[in-house]
């Protein structure tokens, strides 16, 4: 096991270490691992990456001011638009598509002199929990190549876990940044809804999702969120807040109020349970105040999430008719053309979700499904907001250890079930952080912390405290 944090690399670069050397180091990791892991759908040409490094070195030598992420290599999930590399969303429907504009978050990375190294694999249109539903190939977990890295931001998580990027952008609609973080010993933070611009994110469930910073440590995630967060005129749901600035002072365990919500703590398999309680008891022995709570309505969180997510997905995916976006349909009458483009362009799970989403929205069923789900959502949000006013919620990240490739593909419900602890934060619109707390049988286990709206600072401070207890900052495979 190695340890490397992005902010340390940044300091070395500022102290005069050559940027090209850093680029070479990361490329060597890609060379070593990528063949087996397959985290990337597309990689930037190495020569171009070296050139970016040289440019930055020249500017540094001249004493010019450089950006906050100068020389860091960032991997970007392939549902976030970039002009330099194609954006496929993991779907045949967008195979070869090159966006005419950069997502706001990508513009912000470039403005801070980050270098985009490549676009990472995901479940098709971010619909999945393992990255096996990518139309291209499954990504493997660097900690155990027979296992999945979680999903849908599995490519981002794996690229970090093998050292093939310093930082990564994922997206999180129902856990897609946090589940992969838990499975790869990395950190993922789903921000408050509206803190990060969604402009240039290929939409799946608009009312639920946020582009999410991912990294190998809490400090690195904070650094990345400072750069991508804050109001954007091009996203109507973006909050009128400035770029966040975080203190890197760890929280004090003493007096820290932690609520253990029964519905989000119970039900995980034994090794996961054990590591969860180790950390919670450690915090308690150092003075944190624990309180056990129940929120019965959370037993409805998973069906509520999936009803809303499918309905939004069905509406979003209607734009893919094989006309404006590239697809290889044949000519013919309109219905046949569109039908053929969709039959070929969409995978099985995406089609399933479109069908179910249309059903949940259709006349006669709308009240029973979609409208009912929005009501339960409101009840969940109210409960979570009430609780986060007095404590941080501690929750499991995943009910199971990273499964083997193929293990859970026979039944979609087995995939949906993996999100049982993560969807709550998306339904409530509140921030949530997953960080590593240990390994069981060589497999990473994470813990999840949830705070109130715009309380990312609390998550970061607590995350830093937990890192100081576990010593698990910056870890990656050898
Ligand atoms: N696994 C969940 C789903 O398939 C969450 C995906 C996500 O967060 N993008 O909907």
């Amino acid at each position: 096991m190695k340890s490397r944090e992005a902010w340390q690399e940044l300091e070395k670069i500022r102290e005069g270490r050559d940027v090209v050397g850093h680029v070479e180091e990361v490329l060597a990791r890609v060379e070593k691992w990528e063949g087996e892991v397959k985290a990337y759908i597309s990689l930037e040409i190495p020569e171009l990456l070296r050139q970016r490094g040289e440019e930055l070195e020249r500017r540094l030598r001249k004493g010019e001011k450089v950006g906050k992420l100068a020389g860091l290599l960032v991997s970007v999930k392939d549902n976030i638009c970039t002009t330099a590399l194609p954006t496929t969303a993991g779907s045949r429907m967008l195979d070869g598509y090159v966006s005419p504009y950069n997502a706001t978050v990508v513009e912000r990375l470039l403005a801070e002199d980050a270098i985009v190294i490549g676009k990472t694999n995901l479940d098709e249109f971010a619909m999945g929990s393992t990255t096996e539903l990518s139309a291209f190939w499954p990504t493997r977990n660097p900690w155990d190549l027979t296992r999945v890295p979680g999903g849908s931001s599995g490519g981002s998580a794996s690229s970090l876990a093998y050292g093939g990027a310093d930082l990564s952008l994922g997206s999180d609609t129902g856990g897609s940044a946090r589940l992969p973080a838990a499975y790869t010993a990395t950190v993922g933070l789903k921000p408050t809804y509206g803190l990060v611009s969604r402009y240039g994110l290929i939409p799946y469930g608009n009312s639920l999702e946020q582009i999410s910073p991912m990294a190998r440590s809490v400090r690195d995630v904070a650094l990345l969120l400072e750069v991508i967060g804050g109001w954007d005129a091009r996203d109507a749901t973006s909050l009128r807040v400035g770029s966040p600035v975080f203190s890197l002072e760890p929280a004090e365990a003493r007096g820290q109020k932690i609520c253990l919500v029964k519905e989000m703590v119970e039900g995980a398999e034994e090794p996961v349970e054990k590591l969860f309680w180790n950390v919670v008891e450690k915090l308690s022995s150092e003075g944190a105040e624990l309180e056990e709570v129940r929120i019965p309505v959370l037993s409805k969180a998973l069906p509520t999430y999936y009803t809303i997510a499918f309905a939004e997905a069905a509406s979003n995916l209607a734009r893919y008719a094989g006309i404006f976006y590239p697809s290889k349909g044949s000519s013919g009458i309109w219905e046949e053309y569109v039908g053929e483009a969709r039959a070929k362009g969409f995978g099985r799970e995406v089609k399933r979700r479109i069908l179910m989403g249309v059903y949940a929205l259709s006349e006669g069923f709308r009240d029973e499904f979609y409208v009912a789900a929005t009501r339960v959502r409101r009840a969940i949000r109210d409960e979570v907001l009430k609780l986060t006013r007095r404590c941080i919620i501690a929750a499991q990240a995943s009910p199971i250890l990273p499964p083997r490739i193929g293990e859970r593909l026979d039944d979609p419900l087995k995939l949906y079930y993996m999100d049982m602890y993560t969807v709550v934060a998306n339904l409530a619109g509140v921030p949530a952080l997953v960080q590593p707390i240990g390994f069981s049988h060589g497999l990473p286990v994470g813990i999840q912390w949830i705070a109130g709206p715009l309380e990312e600072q609390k998550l970061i401070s607590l995350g830093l405290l937990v890192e100081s207890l576990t010593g698990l900052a910056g870890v990656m495979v050898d």
Side-chain angles (χ1 to χ4, degrees):
M1 204 190 289
K2 281 193 161 100
S3 170
R4 191 163 302 163
E5 294 182 58
W7 66 267
Q8 296 165 332
E9 301 299 314
L10 208 52
E11 284 193 351
K12 280 192 245 162
I13 289 170
R14 294 254 165 77
E15 283 157 15
R17 183 183 190 283
D18 57 332
V19 186
V20 179
H22 177 58
V23 170
E24 294 294 359
E25 220 172 75
V26 175
L27 285 175
R29 304 292 299 173
V30 173
E31 183 70 28
K32 176 169 179 189
W33 284 94
E34 182 58 17
E36 278 180 303
V37 173
K38 292 179 178 278
Y40 286 101
I41 294 179
S42 55
L43 273 162
E44 189 50 276
I45 300 163
E47 205 33 53
L48 280 177
L49 297 174
R50 290 187 196 103
Q51 275 174 22
R52 289 290 323 272
E54 281 164 14
E55 263 165 49
L56 281 168
E57 278 174 23
R58 268 198 298 275
R59 285 172 52 197
L60 283 161
R61 253 185 268 121
K62 280 198 232 150
E64 281 178 28
K65 193 169 157 20
V66 292
K68 275 182 83 166
L69 303 180
L72 292 185
L73 293 146
V74 186
S75 62
V76 176
K77 190 176 180 179
D78 212 19
N79 59 352
I80 298 172
C81 288
T82 50
T83 55
L85 290 167
T87 301
T88 68
S91 180
R92 295 262 169 238
M93 195 54 111
L94 288 173
D95 201 357
Y97 172 70
V98 181
S99 167
Y101 63 92
N102 280 323
T104 296
V105 289
V106 171
E107 287 292 328
R108 290 185 182 178
L109 289 181
L110 299 178
E112 294 297 341
D113 293 319
I115 305 174
V116 174
I117 177 171
K119 302 293 291 290
T120 55
N121 198 19
L122 66 157
D123 295 292
E124 187 172 1
F125 288 107
M127 297 173 186
S129 308
T130 60
T131 316
E132 292 166 293
L133 300 180
S134 159
F136 304 114
W137 50 76
T139 294
R140 291 174 186 271
N141 189 326
W143 295 99
D144 177 344
L145 294 169
T146 69
R147 303 202 177 241
V148 304
S152 62
S153 315
S156 285
S158 285
S159 74
L160 291 166
Y162 78 63
D166 296 308
L167 300 168
S168 190
L169 292 181
S171 69
D172 191 311
T173 313
S176 274
R178 287 165 289 152
L179 196 67
Y183 288 176
T184 58
T186 58
V187 182
L189 195 165
K190 198 286 288 179
T192 304
Y193 187 77
L195 178 59
V196 176
S197 166
R198 290 183 295 111
Y199 180 77
L201 170 68
I202 295 181
Y204 157 23
N206 316 41
S207 78
L208 299 156
E209 64 207 0
Q210 278 286 285
I211 291 173
S212 302
M214 300 174 72
R216 284 186 300 268
S217 72
V218 173
R219 178 161 172 179
D220 288 352
V221 152
L223 175 70
L224 186 51
L225 187 53
E226 286 184 343
V227 170
I228 63 170
W231 183 65
D232 175 22
R234 289 179 294 189
D235 173 358
T237 61
S238 148
L239 296 172
R240 292 252 172 191
V241 293
S243 307
V245 179
F246 297 113
S247 142
L248 296 171
E249 195 63 42
E252 289 265 350
R254 187 152 306 282
Q256 178 79 50
K257 290 202 174 62
I258 296 175
C259 286
L260 297 154
V261 179
K262 203 169 169 300
E263 289 77 6
M264 298 181 78
V265 168
E266 290 182 352
E269 66 181 13
E270 209 264 333
V272 176
E273 277 262 300
K274 213 172 124 201
L275 285 165
F276 177 88
W277 286 108
N278 277 351
V279 168
V280 169
E281 276 156 18
K282 185 103 209 248
L283 284 168
S284 152
S285 71
E286 306 221 340
E289 294 166 25
L290 307 184
E291 182 186 336
E292 293 203 24
V293 216
R294 277 172 180 272
I295 307 183
V297 69
L298 289 186
S299 65
K300 309 262 182 341
L302 212 47
T304 303
Y305 165 78
Y306 274 99
T307 305
I308 293 171
F310 288 4
E312 293 184 10
S315 151
N316 276 319
L317 294 177
R319 77 191 65 183
Y320 300 102
I323 311 271
F324 297 113
Y325 298 104
S327 169
K328 283 124 200 129
S330 65
S331 61
I333 60 165
W334 166 257
E335 283 83 0
E336 275 176 23
Y337 179 86
V338 172
E340 194 183 326
R342 288 183 174 163
K344 285 191 185 152
F346 289 139
R348 220 180 132 77
E349 179 63 21
V350 173
K351 287 178 190 152
R352 184 194 336 269
R353 293 184 182 208
I354 294 173
L355 288 174
M356 301 208 329
V358 168
Y359 184 79
L361 287 172
S362 58
E363 204 180 328
F365 299 100
R366 197 183 138 82
D367 287 348
E368 199 180 330
F369 293 101
Y370 179 70
V371 175
T374 58
R375 287 212 190 92
V376 181
R377 178 186 193 170
R378 172 55 63 96
I380 289 174
R381 179 175 161 83
D382 289 349
E383 293 287 338
V384 170
L385 292 187
K386 210 163 44 179
L387 200 57
T388 51
R389 257 175 242 134
R390 65 165 200 272
C391 55
I392 288 190
I393 298 175
Q396 304 284 5
S398 163
I400 53 172
L401 291 168
R404 285 189 198 285
I405 299 210
E407 191 182 309
R408 302 182 80 81
L409 280 182
D410 56 324
D411 177 358
L413 290 180
K414 285 193 192 160
L415 290 180
Y416 305 167
Y417 160 81
M418 290 158 74
D419 306 319
M420 61 190 278
Y421 303 121
T422 47
V423 297
V424 175
N426 304 80
L427 288 168
V430 297
L433 176 99
V434 164
Q435 66 179 146
I437 49 170
F439 290 80
S440 174
H441 309 94
L443 301 172
V445 173
I447 195 167
Q448 181 179 202
W449 307 107
I450 301 173
L454 293 176
E455 290 182 342
E456 278 77 5
Q457 177 68 66
K458 284 192 183 169
L459 298 177
I460 287 161
S461 306
L462 180 59
L464 290 167
L465 166 65
V466 173
E467 263 178 4
S468 72
L469 300 177
T470 61
L472 291 173
V475 291
M476 62 190 223
V477 296
D478 273 328

